[in-house]
Amino acid sequence: MSDTKVKISVLRVFDPKEVFETSPVKRSSPMSPCERHHEGQEFIVNLDMEMPEGFCPQAWHDLFRKIGALHWGGGYTTTEGPDYMIACCTDGTRPVSFKLERL
């Protein structure tokens, strides 16, 4: 087992109005930005690779492989260094961008 932790930082929570001029889905009430996360929020993924308390399960599912790659020693060349990357959840109408960082 790796002894590496990964920090997840919430960089940006998009309002649906920023993503679409008019909503592509019909709703009974206006769609709001993600209600679970806010910019500046931080989470630590411990050695057990369990989802941090309060983290969105859909976002966790989307990010798990990327977090695992950092946790188990992999790196990404699409950023300034191999110890972090930028990723997002797949909620297409109100996405959230995260920074994943190997500690």
Side-chain angles (χ1 to χ4, degrees), residues 8-14 37 55 58-64 66 85-92 94-100:
I8 304 170
S9 302
V10 179
L11 295 178
R12 179 89 186 265
V13 176
F14 289 88
H37 294 299
F55 201 80
Q58 178 180 341
W60 179 253
H61 181 268
D62 294 337
L63 302 177
F64 184 79
K66 293 170 176 58
M85 73 167 302
I86 307 301
C88 67
C89 71
T90 58
D91 184 333
R94 50 189 201 160
V96 176
S97 292
F98 300 91
K99 178 179 180 180
L100 311 178

Side-chain angles (χ1 to χ4, degrees), residues 9-98:
S9 302
V10 179
L11 295 178
R12 179 89 186 265
V13 176
F14 289 88
D15 188 297
K17 295 173 190 152
E18 295 177 87
V19 181
F20 294 99
E21 192 172 308
T22 59
S23 179
V25 295
K26 303 247 186 275
R27 294 186 46 98
S28 59
S29 61
M31 188 177 291
S32 64
C34 173
E35 296 161 358
R36 185 166 307 234
H37 294 299
H38 60 271
E39 293 172 11
Q41 202 173 18
E42 294 182 344
F43 300 89
I44 300 296
V45 179
N46 290 313
L47 307 180
D48 58 9
M49 284 291 292
E50 292 290 324
M51 182 177 75
E53 186 175 329
F55 201 80
C56 171
Q58 178 180 341
W60 179 253
H61 181 268
D62 294 337
L63 302 177
F64 184 79
R65 291 187 308 160
K66 293 170 176 58
I67 293 166
L70 289 171
H71 174 75
W72 287 297
Y76 293 93
T77 58
T78 58
T79 58
E80 294 179 17
D83 293 329
Y84 74 93
M85 73 167 302
I86 307 301
C88 67
C89 71
T90 58
D91 184 333
T93 56
R94 50 189 201 160
V96 176
S97 292
F98 300 91

